[in-house]
Amino acid sequence: DTGGLGMIDRERAPDVIENGIRTQVAAALEDAAVFILTVDVTAGVMPLDEEVARLLHASGRHVVVAANKADNPSVTEQADEFERLGFPVYPVAALHNLGFDELLEDVVKHLPVAVEESRIEPLRVAVVGKPNAGKSSYINRILRSDRLIVSDIPGTTRDSVEIPFSIGKGEGARHYQLIDTAGMRHVRRADTAVELFSVMRAKGSIERADIVVLVMDAVKGPSKQDKKIAAYAIEHRKGCVILVNKWDLAEGRVTQRAYFAALQEHVPFLSFAPVLFVSAQSGLNIRKSIDVIDKVAAAVSTNITTGTLNRVLHDAMSRVPPPASGNRRYKFYYATQTGVKPVRLQLFVNYPEMLPPSYLSYLENRIRDAFDLSGAPLVLQFKSSHQRRDGTRPPPRIPPGRETRGRKRSKPRRGPGRRGGKNR
C-alpha cells in the first residue's frame, strides 16, 4: 500500500513527504509482482491516472485496474472508460466489499510460485520513541536505503511498517522483522483520529515484538514520554535496548557518562537495558546496535539449568542474608525455570511475603550478572513450600498425642456440698 501520488515529476514535487512517497512507489516497482492501480470510477480517467499507467506499463509487470466506488449498476458502466489505460478493469466498491472476487482471482494467477519459508521465525524488533526521534532514519541506515519516509516534520510515520531484514546467508543467516512505529505522543495531545490510531498501532507493535528498541533524542534528552514508553514495554515484559540517537549533534555539549547518569535517574526501572549512543546520520554504532539486539534476543530465550541456578541463589543469600521479620526466619529451598520470553523463575520458600522490594532487586541483579541477562526482563515468582496446589495452606500440624477423637469430654461436675467434694 503506497501513498497517493500527487505528481510524478520530481521537479514538480518539492515537498519532502511527497518526494518520499515517490521513493516508496519506486521501491514497490522493484519489489512487487502484480500492481493494482486504484482509480475513482465516479471521477473518470484523470491525467494523473494516465501518467501512473505509463509508469506501470514501463515496469513490465502484470497490472489490474480497481475501479473503486462502483456502488450501483449505473456507475459500474462508467468503469469501461478505464480500459483505454491498457489493463484489465474490475469495478469494485471497497466500502461495501463488492467485486473483489474476480479481481483477486486475476491477481493470484500472476503471483510467483510460492517458496518454502524458512522454519526459523524472524526476530520481531519494534523501534519506538517520541515523534522525530529518528526511528525511520535508524531503520533506513540499517537497510542502507531510503525505504522509509524521513522528514523534520514530527509525525511523518503514521502507521507501523514491517520490513524483513537478514544478515548473512544460509543456515547462519540472522532474520529480523523491523517494525517502524509512529511517534508516540501523549493520548491527550493526539489531535486527530489518525494520530490516535497511530499511537494504538504502535502499542500493538510493542505487544507483538520480541525486542523493543527505544530511540531517544540526544539533543532533547530523556523526557516523561520516553519514560511512559519504556514503562509500557516493561509492563509487557519485552527485551529492551536504549538507543540515544543524534549523538553527533549532542557530542561536545554533554558527555556519555553524564547522559547515562541522567538516564539512570530518569528511568531507573530500565537500568537492566543496554544503552548505546548512535547517529543515524553519520552511521555511528549502527552496526554495533544490531549486535546488541542479537545479544538481548539471546538473553530473553536463555535456558538456565536448575543446579546452576540454585548455586547462584544460595551464594547470593549467603553473602547477603534476607532480612528477618520478628521471630520468623526466611528460608530458601530451591528454584527452577518455568519459561522464556520473558525468563521466568519459580522460587520455593517458606514465607514469600517476607522479602522487601530492595532484596528482590538484589536477587535479580545477581541472576542477571551470573547469566548475562542484559536487556532481558526477569520474572521471579515465589511459592510457599507449605502451599497446596489450589493456593491454600494446610491446617497447622497437631503434635502426636494431642489429637482428640469424637466428642470432647466435659469436665466432671462437683457436688452441691462443700468445695472439693466428691463427683456425682
Side-chain angles (χ1 to χ4, degrees), residues 28-170:
L29 287 173
E30 295 178 3
D31 296 342
V34 179
F35 295 102
I36 302 176
L37 172 57
T38 309
V39 297
D40 185 349
V41 70
T42 61
V45 179
M46 305 296 290
L48 190 57
D49 296 331
E50 296 177 334
E51 199 172 349
V52 175
R54 286 195 295 270
L55 185 69
L56 297 180
H57 272 295
S59 70
R61 314 286 174 83
H62 183 69
V63 182
V64 297
V65 176
N68 196 24
K69 303 182 183 179
D71 300 301
N72 55 69
S74 61
V75 177
T76 302
E77 294 176 359
Q78 301 177 22
D80 296 339
E81 179 185 355
F82 290 90
E83 291 183 356
R84 75 187 203 198
L85 297 178
F87 307 120
V89 179
Y90 296 93
V92 298
L95 189 61
H96 303 291
N97 196 26
L98 299 175
F100 283 93
D101 291 340
E102 294 182 4
L103 183 145
L104 291 176
E105 185 177 351
D106 189 351
V107 169
V108 171
K109 287 180 181 178
H110 294 85
L111 292 179
V113 178
V115 180
E116 184 178 354
E117 296 182 356
S118 173
R119 296 182 180 179
I120 302 175
E121 289 292 329
L123 183 70
R124 296 179 62 84
V125 181
V127 183
V128 301
K130 295 189 306 180
N132 211 25
K135 302 178 294 297
S136 299
S137 298
Y138 169 70
I139 294 179
N140 281 345
R141 191 75 189 195
I142 292 177
L143 301 175
R144 297 179 181 178
S145 69
D146 295 332
R147 185 64 182 87
L148 301 170
I149 299 176
V150 176
S151 79
D152 295 332
I153 304 172
T156 301
T157 303
R158 293 292 193 175
D159 202 355
S160 295
V161 182
E162 300 191 11
I163 304 172
F165 171 63
S166 299
I167 296 179
K169 295 181 180 180

Side-chain angles (χ1 to χ4, degrees), residues 213-321:
V213 176
L214 175 57
V215 180
M216 294 184 180
D217 190 328
V219 178
K220 297 181 180 179
S223 65
K224 291 183 179 179
Q225 188 61 17
D226 290 323
K227 186 174 182 178
K228 290 179 180 178
I229 298 171
Y232 195 81
I234 294 298
E235 179 186 349
H236 289 83
R237 309 290 188 184
K238 301 300 178 180
C240 293
V241 176
I242 299 177
L243 295 185
V244 183
N245 192 27
K246 305 181 184 180
W247 188 248
D248 53 327
L249 301 178
E251 197 171 14
R253 304 181 187 180
V254 63
T255 63
Q256 292 187 7
R257 179 176 296 181
Y259 200 101
F260 184 78
L263 274 178
Q264 296 296 312
E265 181 179 355
H266 200 74
V267 282
F269 55 87
L270 210 58
S271 59
F272 67 91
V275 179
L276 203 60
F277 297 87
V278 303
S279 171
Q281 186 68 28
S282 66
L284 174 67
N285 286 334
I286 297 299
R287 175 68 191 209
K288 188 176 181 180
S289 68
I290 295 293
D291 296 333
V292 172
I293 291 171
D294 275 343
K295 187 175 181 180
V296 174
V300 298
S301 302
T302 298
N303 285 299
I304 307 172
T305 60
T306 301
T308 307
L309 173 62
N310 283 272
R311 282 194 296 271
V312 169
L313 286 171
H314 279 294
D315 179 66
M317 292 184 181
S318 62
R319 291 187 179 187
V320 181

Side-chain angles (χ1 to χ4, degrees), residues 2 5 10 19-32 35 55 61 147:
T2 61
L5 285 169
R10 180 185 293 269
N19 268 329
I21 293 174
R22 203 186 74 85
T23 303
Q24 304 312 303
V25 174
L29 287 173
E30 295 178 3
D31 296 342
F35 295 102
L55 185 69
R61 314 286 174 83
R147 185 64 182 87

